Amino acid sequence: MRTILHFARKEFIQTFRDKRMLIPIFLSPVIMLVFFGYAVNIDVTHIKTGIVDYDRTAESRALVEAFAQSGPFEIVAERPESNAFDPLFQKGSVEAVLVIPSGFSRDLDRGERVPVQMILDGTDANSALIIQGYAMGVINDRSIRIMARVLRRTPEGFISPEIRVWYNPELRTSVYMVPGIISLILLISTLILTAMAVTRERESGTLEQILVSPVRPLELILGKTIPFMAVGLADVVIVVAAGRLVFDIPFRGSLAFLFLAAFLFILTTLSLGLLISTVSRTQSQALMTAFFIIMPAMLLSGVFSPIETMPKAIQYFTLINPLRYIGRIVRGIMLKGSGLDLLWPEMLALLGISLILITVSALRFKKYLE
Amino acid sequence: MTSRIVPLMRKEALHILRDPRSLYLALIFPVLLLVVLGLSITFDIRHVEIGVVDHDGSQAGRDLIGRLQASEYFDVKEVTRDDGEGERLIRRDKVKIVIVLPKGFGRSLAKGETARVQVLVDGSNNNTAQVALGYLGGLFQSVSTRILLDRASAQGLSAVPGIEPRIRVWYNPELRSTNFIVPGVIAVIMMIVSTMLTSLTIAREWEMGTMEQLIASPARAIEIVLGKAAPYFVLGLLQMALVVVSAEIIFRVPFKGSLLTLLLSSALFLLCGLGVGLFISTISRSQQLSFMLGIILTMMPSFILSGFIFPIASLPTAARIVSYVVPARYFLTIIRGCFLKGNGLAVHGTEFLALAVFTVVVFLATARRLKLRLE
């Protein structure tokens, strides 16, 4: 036990001797929070909209006005001809153009259903999809009003939805992102620190010295990993506190449960870090290998993009990704206040994965030392 | 000058070739990243799970459920009469939306009154929630339109005016998100890889103490910088070609522009990334720190402040101002314009200029810092 503590102390001192290392370890959670919590915003607003009104009647102006008043559309230009917008589209200075045909008002008076064209820049497929929805909404609403006028009834639709949003009533992006950052920070910091710690000793030749000393492999492993477990848990505290204080992210569940889950998850990342160090000769190799694992793990976890929209084969692949489970657990605890009664399948999966990884890495590490 | 740069380049190239695993990673990693990013980031939100609590049990309610079921956007998971069950469905993450049809829903509609419907939404993923609510609004509107038309014909009105939206999408008519994501992925990968590779190798020289030897040699700062950058420039172009070809083979993204535009802009962008990498290496002497700085200074901004996924127009003002110094922003505009719109240099002159200015500034700053350290 004493040996382990000595080791842990040495590892702490070594990691933090370079004062600049404090920056990435403790500043990187903060920076990620700023990026993901503050900057990221999926809302589609300020849609640069162009208008071509061939009709120029009160009725056509009313439609233009409906767009201007709707909120997301920002009318930036009006041109007499629709092809005047071609260069603007090319440059990306407009994203949507509404084209009202001539005779719009006259045809409506005759009781016809008049087509109105909306041209969208589809380059950004996600935004375009949302813009399409907005545009249809505005046009249909106008249409229903005109129909209602003719039929002499109040100008509202027949189904009036009363929307209640749970967990994130203002639909803020930061509420979705910040819990995700916790899992990500844990993965990145603990995995890289562990992977580098052993390779550094190997690169500088001190690993041999340790091996000839009476330290047992288990003591070496624990001594090497305990400090990083502490770093990981500290990162959890930082992100939860900053999320709460700065971004006003709710924390509805139990903190103890979150720590338990984080502990399980860090076990998997520490094991992975040890595994990487057994297959890397230099620190830069270890770094690249870690990066090689981090990127897919991060992207195929459902933490930042929903798993349901991924191809089927990839969806199965995510089942072995520990980040998938911790991501769901953290979100469940923070946003929904879920407990073990709902999250036990995820906890079980995390436990299983960590046991497997610990066994594999311990075996490999032992062989590696011998 | 060349007599000193060439041996430096040769030395650096030998370094690259001597470490086959790093070379392998440098070439395979971008392709892997491309595949993973291209497959994982899709916004084609379809089949949103939905639950219905039907207190009414009328034909009109069943019609609405039928419409939901028939729509490709929704997938009706469960129809129940119990409010508690509806809430449980959301809590257990079985559905994203629950629609509650109140008692008298069918009767209100039959009388031509407005029927109130309660919609419960799981907002934890705000993007999905927003898109799904948009779909739902459209569906309700079409029900209203249908009812109005029915009433008109019942009143003997043969012609009812209305406006029909006709949406035409340019450049990406099927709204495939891969067409948007993949060119962006190319840009982001190039930025990450070029920066990481250079900053790590120089940090390694510092760690091993060979950097001092280089400095003691008669080579000038700018020569060292160029000699270091050149081999990685070649490696980067190779990666670029590999990634573009795989993007075409795997994701079949349309390529409407000219190869020359692509080549010129990526060469410029690579120089930019290499410059940033070299600059990082003048700040940091350890590989670990370089790596972390690389993530903070290039990876995160390239992902978030470049318009790669999140539209720049939606960024908060401060972030939008910062985005002007993120080179990926300009390259993304060029490469997307080139792939999807067939735009050439003429359209994107400003972006080219911005990249060029950035590159020159970064290289000058690097040479300056290196010179300071030499003295």
Side-chain angles (χ1 to χ4, degrees), chain A residues 43 89-90 113-114 116 118 120 122-123 137 140 158 160 162 164 166 168 173 176 279 284-285 292 309, chain B residues 21 29 42 115-117 119-121 123-124 126 141 144 161-162 164 166 168 170 172 180 287 314 341 343:
Chain A
D43 289 358
F89 254 121
Q90 253 189 332
R113 296 192 68 76
V114 189
V116 154
M118 189 85 195
L120 301 181
T123 320
N140 285 333
F158 285 89
S160 139
E162 181 188 303
R164 278 202 335 210
W166 278 9
N168 182 10
T173 308
Y176 177 58
V279 295
S284 76
Q285 279 188 351
F292 208 74
T309 57
Chain B
R21 178 148 75 155
F29 183 64
T42 56
R116 308 224 168 265
V117 165
V119 179
L120 294 181
V121 187
S124 43
N126 59 316
Q141 280 182 332
S144 294
E164 303 237 321
R166 295 271 160 82
R168 256 180 53 197
W170 281 6
N172 183 10
F180 173 63
Q287 297 182 53
S314 305
K341 304 185 179 178
N343 289 347

Side-chain angles (χ1 to χ4, degrees), chain B residues 48-366:
Chain B
V48 178
E49 297 101 341
I50 197 164
V52 181
V53 180
D54 187 356
H55 288 305
D56 196 40
S58 60
Q59 185 56 40
R62 278 194 293 278
D63 285 348
L64 185 67
I65 295 167
R67 267 174 174 271
L68 285 168
Q69 192 66 280
S71 149
E72 57 171 331
Y73 299 124
F74 296 105
D75 191 356
V76 180
K77 282 276 175 211
E78 205 162 316
V79 180
T80 156
R81 311 191 68 115
D82 175 14
D83 274 324
E85 176 60 19
E87 298 191 353
R88 259 194 302 282
L89 285 173
I90 289 197
R91 219 158 249 143
R92 292 188 184 254
D93 221 2
K94 293 264 183 284
V95 301
K96 297 269 179 292
I97 296 185
V98 168
I99 299 181
V100 185
L101 303 177
K103 228 175 172 40
F105 171 78
R107 206 179 48 232
S108 310
L109 284 186
K111 279 202 285 186
E113 289 166 7
T114 298
R116 308 224 168 265
V117 165
Q118 216 178 58
V119 179
L120 294 181
V121 187
D122 177 349
S124 43
N125 182 345
N126 59 316
N127 188 45
T128 310
Q130 198 120 44
V131 174
L133 280 177
Y135 295 152
L136 199 61
L139 195 114
F140 287 160
Q141 280 182 332
S142 74
V143 172
S144 294
T145 306
R146 183 75 254 150
I147 296 172
L148 276 169
L149 287 174
D150 287 350
R151 291 182 71 79
S153 63
Q155 286 178 21
L157 279 172
S158 55
V160 185
I163 314 173
E164 303 237 321
R166 295 271 160 82
I167 311 279
R168 256 180 53 197
V169 180
W170 281 6
Y171 307 125
N172 183 10
E174 307 107 76
L175 288 178
R176 277 180 68 204
S177 48
T178 29
N179 290 356
F180 173 63
I181 294 295
V182 169
V185 171
I186 297 175
V188 169
I189 291 176
M190 294 325 294
M191 188 68 194
I192 297 173
V193 171
S194 56
T195 310
M196 291 279 175
L197 280 179
T198 35
S199 65
L200 282 181
T201 43
I202 298 188
R204 188 160 156 207
E205 297 233 19
W206 282 116
E207 279 182 3
M208 313 228 294
T210 45
M211 200 63 188
E212 275 82 2
Q213 292 173 19
L214 256 186
I215 290 168
S217 74
R220 282 187 303 156
I222 190 82
E223 290 169 347
I224 296 179
V225 168
L226 289 179
K228 283 262 166 208
Y232 287 102
F233 180 67
V234 176
L235 183 63
L237 280 184
L238 208 64
Q239 288 175 335
M240 182 77 194
L242 206 63
V243 171
V244 170
V245 170
S246 347
E248 284 307 309
I249 294 174
I250 302 171
F251 295 107
R252 310 208 166 274
V253 177
F255 184 82
K256 298 198 184 116
S258 79
L259 277 174
L260 186 69
T261 311
L262 183 68
L263 186 71
L264 281 180
S265 56
S266 20
L268 191 56
F269 184 63
L270 260 179
L271 278 181
C272 225
L274 294 176
V276 175
L278 288 168
F279 186 75
I280 291 178
S281 67
T282 65
I283 307 176
S284 136
R285 288 195 179 196
S286 82
Q287 297 182 53
Q288 207 162 350
L289 184 64
S290 295
F291 181 78
M292 299 264 184
L293 281 175
I295 289 190
I296 293 169
L297 291 180
T298 62
M299 200 174 118
M300 302 292 286
S302 304
F303 260 104
I304 290 164
L305 301 179
S306 65
F308 168 47
I309 300 177
F310 313 108
I312 290 180
S314 305
L315 293 176
T317 316
R320 206 159 52 229
I321 292 167
V322 175
S323 79
Y324 283 105
V325 294
V326 176
R329 172 195 171 137
Y330 303 104
F331 184 55
L332 264 168
T333 311
I334 301 175
I335 198 174
R336 280 197 180 124
C338 180
F339 265 85
L340 300 177
K341 304 185 179 178
N343 289 347
L345 283 168
V347 181
H348 293 307
T350 332
E351 282 82 10
F352 262 95
L353 194 67
L355 276 183
V357 169
F358 193 93
T359 311
V360 172
V361 170
V362 163
F363 269 88
L364 285 180
T366 308

Side-chain angles (χ1 to χ4, degrees), chain A residues 14-202:
Chain A
Q14 201 164 26
T15 308
F16 294 117
R17 187 179 296 147
D18 187 354
K19 283 281 171 296
R20 283 172 300 186
M21 278 314 289
L22 284 172
I23 301 172
I25 292 175
F26 290 107
L27 205 64
S28 72
V30 176
I31 288 178
M32 284 182 88
L33 270 174
V34 170
F35 273 123
F36 279 106
Y38 164 71
V40 161
N41 190 352
I42 317 184
D43 289 358
V44 180
T45 52
H46 307 291
I47 304 162
K48 288 168 275 177
T49 311
I51 303 287
V52 183
D53 183 356
Y54 287 114
D55 196 43
R56 307 212 137 263
T57 56
E59 195 69 73
S60 72
R61 289 331 283 177
L63 182 60
V64 173
E65 197 48 32
F67 267 90
Q69 297 298 322
S70 65
F73 293 97
E74 201 174 287
I75 296 174
V76 291
E78 177 148 9
R79 297 276 185 279
E81 291 285 330
S82 66
N83 48 18
F85 277 108
D86 289 0
L88 294 175
F89 254 121
Q90 253 189 332
K91 271 189 111 92
S93 342
V94 293
E95 296 160 273
V97 171
L98 173 72
V99 186
I100 305 176
S102 65
F104 173 75
S105 176
R106 184 196 61 218
D107 291 349
L108 280 177
D109 283 341
R110 286 189 193 147
E112 286 172 24
R113 296 192 68 76
V114 189
V116 154
Q117 204 176 49
M118 189 85 195
I119 306 170
L120 301 181
D121 180 344
T123 320
D124 178 348
N126 185 40
S127 298
L129 198 66
I130 294 177
I131 297 173
Q132 178 177 319
Y134 288 156
M136 303 253 284
V138 174
I139 296 175
N140 285 333
D141 183 63
R142 191 72 213 135
S143 175
I144 289 172
R145 275 163 198 278
I146 294 172
M147 289 168 83
R149 192 171 65 208
V150 173
L151 294 168
R152 291 195 183 77
R153 79 176 292 281
T154 46
E156 60 177 305
F158 285 89
I159 298 183
S160 139
E162 181 188 303
I163 295 165
R164 278 202 335 210
V165 181
W166 278 9
Y167 310 126
N168 182 10
E170 301 110 71
L171 290 177
R172 282 188 298 150
T173 308
S174 55
V175 174
Y176 177 58
M177 289 290 172
V178 170
I181 297 171
I182 295 184
S183 356
L184 202 58
I185 288 277
L186 285 182
L187 176 75
I188 295 177
S189 58
T190 53
L191 183 68
I192 289 180
L193 286 173
T194 322
M196 304 277 284
V198 182
T199 14
R200 186 168 7 130
E201 302 252 9
R202 186 170 174 180

Side-chain angles (χ1 to χ4, degrees), chain A residues 287-350:
Chain A
L287 265 182
M288 288 227 232
T289 317
F291 203 52
F292 208 74
I293 293 177
I294 288 174
M295 287 304 285
M298 168 181 143
L299 292 165
L300 303 180
S301 63
V303 170
F304 295 115
S305 55
I307 291 177
E308 304 94 75
T309 57
M310 297 174 192
K312 270 277 172 305
I314 300 281
Q315 291 193 18
Y316 290 122
F317 178 77
T318 64
L319 290 175
I320 58 163
N321 185 354
L323 204 60
R324 170 196 166 120
Y325 303 105
I326 189 73
R328 290 176 74 110
I329 293 172
V330 175
R331 260 196 198 116
I333 294 175
M334 287 183 73
L335 303 184
K336 309 190 176 179
S338 312
L340 204 55
D341 55 327
L342 285 182
L343 292 171
W344 61 268
E346 280 82 8
M347 286 297 272
L348 211 59
L350 215 48

